[in-house]
Amino acid sequence: YMFSHRSYSIFQCRRHRLPQWLWASMVLAILLLLSPVSVSAGGNADVKVPLDERSIGQEEAILSPAEAAMSAGPLVRFGFLKPMLAYGENNYQPGETDIRRPLVAHLRRMMPDVHFQFVEYELPALSEAVKRHEVDYALMSAGQYVELRSYGAYALATVYTARFPDPNRFTAALFVTTADHPEIQTIADMKGARAVFNSQANFINYQLPLAAIANAGFNPDRFFFKQHFTNDKPQEVLRLLLERKADIGVFRVCEYETLIAKWPQLKQSFRPTALVSGGNQSCLRSTELFPGWTVALTTDNMAPQLTKRMVETILAMPIDPSSGMGWSVATEFSRVNDVFHVLRIGPYAYLRDAQPYLARFLAPHCSCACFAGGICIPFRLGGTFGAVSCQGIERCICSAARN
């Protein structure tokens, strides 16, 4: 009681000796010193902005679309494609490194004054989010990016790794059959077989192999007798092959090797086929290599200064010493565009509607002859159009109409 009374007396004495405005200034100064956040003008490197409660690198830093819709305030929304769980929760290419978490951590560390919101989407949902301009930037496959260019997507940076150091040649597809199908050696040998894929919407696993079939001179829409899909479960491809419910399994590059490494006892049961030689042989493949995972600007609402800063930040991301992962600029998206053109899908889907009219127009000027082995050569007076496969003369069409 005595201590309290004495403290009160001292306070009363000091209060009467000093002006009230001076006491108020002292209290305000103390409150400012105790403040946890300080922001200086200019928005430079000394800006200190509290991040979300989620710590950098934690998986919960990547939201679902439903969680993202509940957030308020000015945001920069970054969309991610959801990886297949067979590769790990953050890996896009089997046997390769985690791309998402290092990128999230790097952006938050180097751009702390930007309020990022990272959102994870299934493949079709990410495309719809880009079309509706619900995300500002996105990480997607080169195929998905090219398909969305007509909606304003613009490539900023493309990943590379030690195994695939060229960003233009990062991903491909592989055909695999079983050991009891020695007759299947080439793409032509697969005609009429039963095939199994991960997903019909997948650029690497579905569109690339079908483009290889089209480039070999076959109609990819009628090439396989039956197609199965595993809903992004590549281990199911092996099971269907082993159970003889399919003759051909299709994998993305390095996927087959990763699965066999998990179940080495199965290696003698399978045989990769229609292999491509030359170039990067880090993993077996049956198609050309194409650009890999790409960060794209997906809206026209971002300030040029922010996008410039984003590009500089991603390209300056330190190379991962364990995997060699870094970011560069891909320059061969035209080859990805050719895949859509030859399949008449995506930006070229209108060609499917135009084909019947084109065929009718060319019919009076186009004939064909079928020879042993089912080879059809369409021709006209003055030269040939090229060879296509057919079954009976009624299936022969001019290659100009076909393409």
Side-chain angles (χ1 to χ4, degrees):
Y1 172 80
M2 292 176 62
F3 179 79
S4 301
H5 178 74
R6 179 176 177 80
S7 300
Y8 176 78
S9 299
I10 293 173
F11 174 75
Q12 287 284 75
C13 179
R14 289 178 178 173
R15 185 170 67 84
H16 288 297
R17 288 180 183 178
L18 296 176
Q20 290 187 0
W21 66 266
L22 183 56
W23 277 103
S25 300
M26 292 172 63
V27 171
L28 180 60
I30 292 172
L31 290 175
L32 288 174
L33 288 173
L34 294 176
S35 176
V37 179
S38 64
V39 180
S40 63
N44 294 322
D46 60 338
V47 176
K48 297 178 181 178
V49 179
L51 299 177
D52 294 345
E53 293 180 357
R54 303 175 179 85
S55 61
I56 289 176
Q58 285 189 337
E59 183 59 17
E60 52 266 28
I62 300 177
L63 309 179
S64 69
E67 292 170 327
M70 297 174 63
S71 300
L75 299 169
V76 173
R77 300 196 174 189
F78 198 117
F80 283 101
L81 182 65
K82 186 175 182 179
M84 286 191 282
L85 292 179
Y87 311 148
E89 294 183 350
N90 292 282
N91 294 18
Y92 289 102
Q93 189 143 300
E96 286 289 3
T97 185
D98 177 353
I99 296 176
R100 298 198 307 174
R101 286 182 298 183
L103 180 59
V104 169
H106 180 68
L107 290 176
R108 290 195 171 194
R109 183 171 57 250
M110 302 308 296
M111 303 176 69
D113 54 312
V114 178
H115 188 184
F116 283 107
Q117 184 185 76
F118 299 98
V119 189
E120 182 183 73
Y121 295 88
E122 299 285 353
L123 181 62
L126 179 57
S127 293
E128 290 304 311
V130 171
K131 292 175 182 178
R132 293 192 297 264
H133 300 292
E134 293 176 354
V135 291
D136 305 305
Y137 302 94
L139 177 66
M140 60 187 74
S141 73
Q144 191 173 26
Y145 157 66
V146 167
E147 194 167 6
L148 292 170
R149 282 195 298 191
S150 60
Y151 293 90
Y154 187 87
L156 303 180
T158 300
V159 75
Y160 66 87
T161 62
R163 283 201 296 184
F164 298 96
D166 183 350
N168 286 321
R169 288 165 176 77
F170 188 87
T171 194
L174 174 70
F175 293 114
V176 173
T177 187
T178 52
D180 56 357
H181 279 299
E183 76 283 1
I184 300 178
Q185 299 290 333
T186 66
I187 286 179
D189 298 331
M190 302 177 198
K191 184 170 174 57
R194 300 164 300 168
V196 54
F197 305 83
N198 286 331
S199 168
Q200 194 168 9
N202 195 302
F203 173 72
I204 302 168
N205 178 259
Y206 188 70
Q207 293 163 359
L208 283 188
L210 289 192
I213 289 169
N215 289 327
F218 300 96
N219 184 343
D221 297 332
R222 300 187 180 95
F223 185 75
F224 291 115
F225 175 74
K226 190 173 184 180
Q227 295 182 1
H228 301 276
F229 300 96
T230 67
N231 193 26
D232 289 334
K233 296 180 179 66
Q235 63 273 21
E236 288 294 296
V237 176
L238 295 180
R239 183 183 66 81
L240 290 173
L241 288 172
L242 285 174
E243 293 177 357
R244 291 176 171 77
K245 295 179 180 178
D247 311 301
I248 300 293
V250 185
F251 299 90
R252 65 177 62 193
V253 68
C254 298
E255 187 172 56
Y256 171 74
E257 288 88 344
T258 301
L259 293 171
I260 292 300
K262 291 179 67 174
W263 297 292
Q265 70 275 16
L266 297 179
K267 184 176 182 179
Q268 61 183 6
S269 300
F270 301 104
R271 180 174 58 81
T273 189
L275 299 178
V276 172
S277 59
N280 189 323
Q281 292 293 312
S282 296
C283 294
L284 298 174
R285 55 189 173 88
S286 303
T287 71
E288 296 179 56
L289 286 162
F290 289 82
W293 302 97
T294 296
V295 174
L297 171 69
T298 54
T299 181
D300 54 6
N301 295 327
M302 287 293 100
Q305 296 86 347
L306 178 60
T307 298
K308 176 176 181 287
R309 190 173 164 204
M310 175 78 81
V311 173
E312 293 172 344
T313 300
I314 295 176
L315 293 180
M317 182 173 169
I319 297 174
D320 187 324
S322 61
S323 65
M325 187 196 84
W327 296 89
S328 186
V329 177
T331 57
E332 296 184 11
F333 289 112
S334 61
R335 295 193 297 115
V336 179
N337 190 72
D338 292 341
V339 170
F340 290 100
H341 185 264
V342 75
L343 295 178
R344 306 192 303 281
I345 60 174
Y348 298 98
Y350 69 90
L351 293 177
R352 290 180 176 266
D353 299 328
Q355 184 183 357
Y357 302 100
L358 183 61
R360 276 204 301 270
F361 171 76
L362 290 173
H365 313 286
C366 181
S367 300
C368 58
C370 285
F371 298 92
I375 299 299
C376 168
I377 300 182
F379 62 90
R380 66 174 179 179
L381 187 63
T384 64
F385 281 84
V388 296
S389 295
C390 67
Q391 292 179 351
I393 194 164
E394 70 278 1
R395 298 282 298 277
C396 290
I397 61 171
C398 193
S399 63
R402 176 178 173 272
N403 293 325

